[in-house]
Amino acid sequence: MSRTIAIFDTTLRDGEQSPGCSMTVNEKVEVARQLEELGVDVIEAGFAVASKGDFESIRRISRNVRTAAVASLARALPGDIEIAWEAISQAAHPRIHTFISTSDIHMARKLKKTRDEVLEIVDQAVRLASGLCPEVEFSAEDATRSDPEFLCRVIEKAIRAGASVVNIPDTVGYTTPHEYGRLIARIRENVPGIDKAVISVHCHNDLGMAVANTLAAALAGVGQVECTINGIGERAGNAALEEIVMALKTRRDVFDLDCGIDTQQIYRTSRLVSSVTGTALPPNKAVVGANAFAHESGIHQHGVLSDKSTYEIMCPEAIGLPGNQIVLGKHSGKHAFESRVKSLGYNSTPQELDKIFERFKELADKKKTVSDLDIEALIHNLSPGDPEIYKLDRYTINSGNTITPTASIRMIRDGAAGEDAATGDGPMDAAFRAIEKIIGTKFELQDFFVRSVTGGKDAQGEVVVKMRADGRTAVGRGLSTDIIGAGIHAYLNAANKILAGTAPAEPAK
Ligand code: KIV
Ligand code: ZN
């Protein structure tokens, strides 16, 4: 009989730790809800002691998530562990995840502790956490560069102190599949009491082997794998959840492992994480990249037309990739629209449905046909919790190759209109400058990308911007068949988050 492996998602902690991937509290709650739909076993919601924002989002996620366990990271320090517990105590299945480094280099240079001191800290920390929380995970940071014999002693100590999950992270992405598999086997053979705990792995992608290493550990018998959506994470990222899960599914003959993931939620989760973090996916990204199911060469196209399995080892439907077929038009009624949204798997509230339907009608007026991909984009762009200090009223753009681009913008704040105009290097630049004049704040634009939702000249364009001001960084999203309009909405969305203080603050130096 197949074994089941638990999926521990750390998108909201290790993923969010990567440069430029920070999310607002509302966005984290939205991602957590989607992770639950996806079917992950554990959601690592953050590092409670790291910031007020982290604490708050862990607390809100703990209240909202019912089926998955919710974990908070904590250094092996009493203060960290107590705050982690406070943040997760209302979760249906709380888990404290405490860690300390076990490699000689980390112990000597970072912690300035001896091996014996580290063993003592592990014992104290795990005992404290176990006294507070029914489930405790212990991680031996930099495990793959640790002396394996010492590592085994640390793990034994953690299990004796009450850890029910022991994690063996490849913190710096250094190991190789064969070596990692052997390390797991050694731990399974040599640690007394190991059968009382679940062995977990956590891999970083510095040498591009995070997924391969994770799968090698899965073959070596671990019971939990840690990963992130789209592989986001520190430096080169973490092992990508979608790649691990689709490898297990597609090569069941090799792995013979089950997991609780509903693979049809993969594409949607990937899109959500990409847009809330403002990180575009490379087109050739495995499983979820734009080209993952595109066949360009004539030979491949010919093969796929006669039999998909000639060049397709998994089908787009398996990850829930919505089709681009025409589904609705401007004469479609609310009832048909609502049932389409439901059949796409969204449980939108009546208020959300009203808003999406209003936007669908506007879109159907501009675009002859509206596809599932368009509807998904409208839903993702809704962001119900986003602040709206300034609301766009209207804009006029003048541009061309023989004139200086100018933009005139009118926005509403607390019922009062503000209007201004500006010139710029291009129409988008002019529009952004006009917005800044009205608001009276200069924003530093750090990133900007445009994506077309479907093919065709009347396609909706999605603009994502990342910008900074007042010590906060925000990601803004905008969607429109007019790309300048999408850019203005995205800029305003990010500006509002900064002004409202919901955008994550930069850590104090
Ligand atoms: O990479 C790592 O070692 C970690 C631990 C805190 C689990 O993220
Ligand atoms: Zn990590």
Side-chain angles (χ1 to χ4, degrees):
M1 211 178 72
S2 313
R3 204 163 57 81
T4 299
I5 196 158
I7 306 290
F8 176 117
D9 180 276
T10 183
T11 305
L12 296 172
R13 199 278 296 170
D14 223 341
E16 213 239 0
Q17 234 163 278
S18 55
C21 276
S22 46
M23 306 171 215
T24 66
V25 175
N26 279 338
E27 286 164 347
K28 285 189 189 178
V29 174
E30 195 184 346
V31 170
R33 285 217 184 98
Q34 181 54 36
L35 289 171
E36 202 173 25
E37 288 286 316
L38 178 66
V40 305
D41 297 277
V42 187
I43 297 172
E44 186 162 52
F47 189 177
V49 82
S51 70
K52 269 199 188 139
D54 253 44
F55 180 87
E56 182 52 25
S57 41
I58 301 169
R59 204 143 66 165
R60 276 192 47 200
I61 291 168
S62 299
R63 290 187 191 132
N64 277 285
V65 165
R66 292 295 94 185
T67 52
V70 178
S72 169
L73 189 66
R75 286 168 298 181
L77 299 170
D80 275 35
I81 292 169
E82 279 149 13
I83 289 179
W85 173 241
E86 210 183 312
I88 57 171
S89 56
Q90 292 175 33
H93 311 284
R95 180 185 291 191
I96 293 178
H97 177 193
T98 188
F99 73 101
I100 192 165
S101 294
T102 54
S103 65
D104 287 335
I105 179 154
H106 276 214
M107 289 187 294
R109 299 287 168 85
K110 188 176 89 166
L111 302 174
K112 309 209 181 331
K113 301 270 181 227
T114 63
R115 289 184 174 192
D116 283 346
E117 284 169 331
V118 165
L119 280 167
E120 183 54 28
I121 293 170
V122 170
D123 186 58
Q124 298 288 321
V126 176
R127 271 182 210 286
L128 172 65
S130 309
L132 297 170
C133 184
E135 199 164 62
V136 176
E137 170 167 341
F138 169 75
S139 282
E141 192 185 3
D142 207 15
T144 52
R145 292 193 303 164
S146 304
D147 166 13
E149 203 202 307
F150 176 63
L151 178 65
C152 288
R153 284 174 58 208
V154 172
I155 296 164
E156 181 186 352
K157 186 67 108 187
I159 296 171
R160 278 190 201 283
S164 53
V165 183
V166 284
N167 187 30
I168 318 296
D170 183 29
T171 304
V172 290
Y174 178 73
T175 197
T176 61
H178 188 234
E179 182 184 68
Y180 204 37
R182 274 194 325 215
L183 177 63
I184 300 299
R186 183 162 175 179
I187 290 167
R188 290 185 69 195
E189 280 156 22
N190 292 300
V191 175
I194 193 69
D195 49 320
K196 293 198 194 78
V198 171
I199 305 178
S200 168
V201 287
H202 172 115
C203 297
H204 281 268
N205 206 27
D206 299 67
L207 292 171
M209 291 189 280
V211 171
N213 288 334
T214 305
L215 292 171
L219 279 176
V222 300
Q224 174 180 284
V225 291
E226 304 195 353
C227 41
T228 60
I229 302 296
N230 301 336
I232 63 169
E234 284 274 12
R235 307 179 308 278
N238 289 54
L241 179 147
E242 62 281 2
E243 295 178 24
I244 296 169
V245 169
M246 289 314 286
L248 296 182
K249 184 177 164 95
T250 310
R251 297 308 311 272
R252 214 189 145 79
D253 56 326
V254 172
F255 298 104
D256 195 20
L257 283 169
D258 283 327
C259 69
I261 297 294
D262 173 359
T263 62
Q264 295 204 343
Q265 296 286 337
I266 285 181
Y267 175 75
R268 179 175 310 163
T269 317
S270 162
R271 279 289 318 276
L272 176 66
V273 169
S274 160
S275 61
V276 298
T277 57
T279 40
L281 290 179
N284 62 336
K285 164 82 180 65
V287 181
V288 287
N291 292 348
F293 295 97
H295 302 277
E296 181 70 26
S297 93
I299 296 175
H300 288 204
Q301 285 174 351
H302 176 72
V304 169
L305 284 176
S306 48
D307 182 345
K308 278 187 174 186
S309 60
T310 50
Y311 286 99
E312 253 180 37
I313 56 163
M314 49 191 166
C315 58
E317 294 79 27
I319 62 155
L321 195 76
N324 193 19
Q325 75 273 29
I326 298 154
V327 288
L328 295 166
K330 71 177 184 186
H331 300 297
S332 306
K334 189 150 183 220
H335 198 70
F337 179 77
E338 279 185 21
S339 77
R340 193 69 214 143
V341 169
K342 275 211 185 86
S343 74
L344 284 170
Y346 290 93
N347 298 315
S348 309
T349 62
Q351 293 89 325
E352 284 167 354
L353 274 170
D354 285 348
K355 253 199 156 149
I356 309 164
F357 185 62
E358 198 184 302
R359 296 198 184 166
F360 159 74
K361 280 288 183 188
E362 285 164 18
L363 178 64
D365 264 342
K366 293 185 193 139
K367 214 172 173 269
K368 274 193 220 98
T369 53
V370 179
S371 70
D372 282 348
L373 280 169
D374 285 313
I375 296 176
E376 278 231 309
L378 291 177
I379 298 170
H380 281 165
N381 205 256
L382 204 58
S383 313
D386 284 357
E388 272 204 314
I389 297 182
Y390 284 93
K391 228 177 142 133
L392 178 67
D393 185 30
R394 59 171 189 236
Y395 64 89
T396 313
I397 307 287
N398 259 309
S399 186
N401 63 349
T402 55
I403 58 166
T404 304
T406 54
S408 158
I409 299 210
R410 191 175 131 107
M411 305 194 301
I412 310 289
R413 179 180 184 163
D414 297 333
E419 190 159 11
D420 220 319
T423 56
D425 293 337
M428 206 77 97
D429 184 41
F432 293 170
R433 283 172 196 255
I435 294 175
E436 288 179 342
K437 274 176 139 183
I438 301 169
I439 296 178
T441 305
K442 255 202 120 17
F443 299 97
E444 181 196 327
L445 184 64
Q446 296 186 317
D447 210 350
F448 176 99
F449 71 83
V450 188
R451 198 183 68 87
S452 142
V453 172
T454 56
K457 288 196 189 106
D458 60 354
Q460 294 193 91
E462 182 181 44
V463 172
V464 177
V465 298
K466 197 174 288 176
M467 52 201 231
R468 215 178 138 255
D470 300 338
R472 293 183 185 271
T473 305
V475 173
R477 292 180 271 165
L479 184 72
S480 174
T481 47
D482 163 12
I483 209 66
I484 308 280
I488 293 173
H489 281 292
Y491 206 78
L492 212 47
N493 181 231
N496 278 329
K497 288 180 189 172
I498 291 173
L499 298 172
T502 59
E506 285 150 18
K509 296 252 156 55

